[in-house]
Amino acid sequence: MTDLTQLEAWRDALLKARYVGLRIVEYDGRRVSYATDAEMATALADLERRIAAAQSGRVSQVRIQSTKGV
């Protein structure tokens, strides 16, 4: 899995290109071309979800409590 710093770098590169009005993003020697702003927004949303998941960590223990309702 990609680490948090890499995800943030990709997000920053995508945001910078979007704000300037470019549809081509370059990072780590790779070039990605987007056809529409909607595609860029979808990619940004995916990166934000991945960043949030990486920052939250994993749940190591789940406790369940229930009653019969009587």
Side-chain angles (χ1 to χ4, degrees), residues 4-24:
L4 181 59
T5 56
Q6 186 65 47
L7 291 171
E8 289 173 340
W10 291 343
R11 180 197 58 199
D12 295 342
L14 187 55
L15 280 172
K16 183 178 178 182
R18 190 176 184 203
Y19 289 145
V20 176
L22 297 176
R23 297 284 185 243
I24 298 173

Side-chain angles (χ1 to χ4, degrees), residues 12-64:
D12 295 342
L14 187 55
L15 280 172
K16 183 178 178 182
R18 190 176 184 203
Y19 289 145
V20 176
L22 297 176
R23 297 284 185 243
I24 298 173
V25 180
E26 292 185 36
Y27 55 88
D28 295 337
R30 301 177 74 191
R31 180 180 281 198
V32 179
S33 179
Y34 296 94
T36 64
D37 186 61
E39 284 183 358
M40 293 181 94
T42 302
L44 278 170
D46 180 56
L47 283 170
E48 291 293 346
R49 277 191 302 273
R50 291 175 188 235
I51 290 170
Q55 288 176 337
S56 68
R58 293 185 158 238
V59 175
S60 61
Q61 186 176 18
V62 176
R63 294 183 185 218
I64 299 173

